[in-house]
Amino acid sequence: MTDVKEAVIDNILTRRTIRRFLDRQIGEEELQTILEAGLYAPSAGGRQGVLFVVSQDKAVNEKLGRIKRNNSHFRASTDTVYISKEQPSIADDPGIMNAFYDAPTVITLFVPKDFLYGPYDASAAAENMLLAAHALGLGGCYLGSAWDSFRDPFGQEVLREWKIRTDYYAAVHVLLGYPKDAQAPKAKERREGRIIRR
């Protein structure tokens, strides 16, 4: 049992955000394992209101990623304030035109518009999926404000094609694929003073 506990903690401590992916689709068995991890995430009141939409359509993902990039409002990074120097984000590199970073699989988590805790449920599910992906040797990236990807006629048409209920909205994207780089990005030093004991 100790080995299992150590493996779980090690998986949490070694997971990194990946933004550079191989042009290779993930396997169906891996995808199902990751989705199951998301389905078993905690949800407020056990409501299980999150909808998981899997897109492995390269053209659709490319277009939605560009829409999100065009609708993302952020402060550009500086030499001292940045997301990642090893695997730049769209905030770090204005030349990156696809906010999905060419990930072969994009899972969009939709939540009810009228449920206060929907975004938190989606975030919990996303973290479960990212940890599962890492345990399987895959790379993953969390993107919030997923509604930005659907803010144009193409995005609205995709929502209709996916048959997304109008009382739901996109909260989170989880990008998945095989990491392009053999070495994962280094972890940033943990900031001190964030734990307060009383």
Side-chain angles (χ1 to χ4, degrees), residues 128-142:
N128 268 22
M129 291 193 294
L130 291 167
L131 288 170
H134 178 52
L136 295 170
L138 297 172
C141 181
Y142 174 104

Side-chain angles (χ1 to χ4, degrees), residues 112-161:
K113 291 178 179 177
D114 64 351
F115 187 53
L116 176 64
Y117 302 109
Y120 310 115
D121 290 351
S123 293
E127 179 67 4
N128 268 22
M129 291 193 294
L130 291 167
L131 288 170
H134 178 52
L136 295 170
L138 297 172
C141 181
Y142 174 104
L143 293 181
S145 306
W147 56 84
D148 285 347
S149 306
F150 302 96
R151 277 187 170 169
D152 84 345
F154 177 80
Q156 292 298 303
E157 179 59 30
V158 167
L159 292 178
R160 286 189 289 274
E161 286 178 11

Side-chain angles (χ1 to χ4, degrees), residues 38-85:
L39 291 172
Y40 274 84
S43 62
R47 181 172 173 151
Q48 301 180 48
V50 177
L51 303 179
F52 301 77
V53 177
V54 179
S55 177
Q56 295 182 318
D57 185 316
K58 189 171 185 176
V60 169
N61 290 346
E62 167 77 15
K63 199 145 185 187
L64 290 176
R66 286 180 172 271
I67 294 168
K68 174 148 183 67
R69 173 67 179 86
N70 292 337
N71 286 313
S72 295
H73 304 289
F74 55 83
R75 292 183 302 177
S77 298
T78 67
D79 288 340
T80 56
V81 179
Y82 53 87
I83 305 297
S84 174
K85 292 208 183 257

Side-chain angles (χ1 to χ4, degrees), residues 3-195:
D3 290 344
V4 172
K5 289 179 184 177
E6 288 176 1
V8 169
I9 298 300
D10 182 68
N11 192 54
I12 292 169
L13 299 182
T14 58
R15 189 210 62 80
R16 300 285 174 268
T17 295
I18 301 300
R19 295 185 191 87
R20 291 168 45 85
F21 300 96
L22 292 175
D23 186 16
R24 173 182 159 204
Q25 191 52 266
I26 69 174
E28 183 60 26
E29 188 174 333
E30 295 163 322
L31 175 61
Q32 289 306 316
T33 298
I34 291 164
L35 288 168
E36 186 174 30
L39 291 172
Y40 274 84
S43 62
R47 181 172 173 151
Q48 301 180 48
V50 177
L51 303 179
F52 301 77
V53 177
V54 179
S55 177
Q56 295 182 318
D57 185 316
K58 189 171 185 176
V60 169
N61 290 346
E62 167 77 15
K63 199 145 185 187
L64 290 176
R66 286 180 172 271
I67 294 168
K68 174 148 183 67
R69 173 67 179 86
N70 292 337
N71 286 313
S72 295
H73 304 289
F74 55 83
R75 292 183 302 177
S77 298
T78 67
D79 288 340
T80 56
V81 179
Y82 53 87
I83 305 297
S84 174
K85 292 208 183 257
E86 295 168 283
Q87 292 193 17
S89 73
I90 58 174
D92 299 316
D93 183 353
I96 297 174
M97 300 313 297
N98 180 355
F100 293 171
Y101 307 104
D102 300 316
T105 295
V106 178
I107 303 175
T108 305
L109 281 60
F110 290 85
V111 298
K113 291 178 179 177
D114 64 351
F115 187 53
L116 176 64
Y117 302 109
Y120 310 115
D121 290 351
S123 293
E127 179 67 4
N128 268 22
M129 291 193 294
L130 291 167
L131 288 170
H134 178 52
L136 295 170
L138 297 172
C141 181
Y142 174 104
L143 293 181
S145 306
W147 56 84
D148 285 347
S149 306
F150 302 96
R151 277 187 170 169
D152 84 345
F154 177 80
Q156 292 298 303
E157 179 59 30
V158 167
L159 292 178
R160 286 189 289 274
E161 286 178 11
W162 290 354
K163 296 181 171 46
I164 302 300
R165 293 168 40 175
T166 56
D167 58 336
Y168 272 67
Y169 72 98
V172 172
H173 294 299
V174 175
L175 316 181
L176 298 170
Y178 289 98
K180 194 170 191 176
D181 302 323
Q183 187 72 32
K186 293 186 183 97
K188 291 181 179 177
E189 290 294 321
R190 299 298 94 177
R191 290 175 53 199
E192 295 184 8
R194 295 193 299 148
I195 297 173

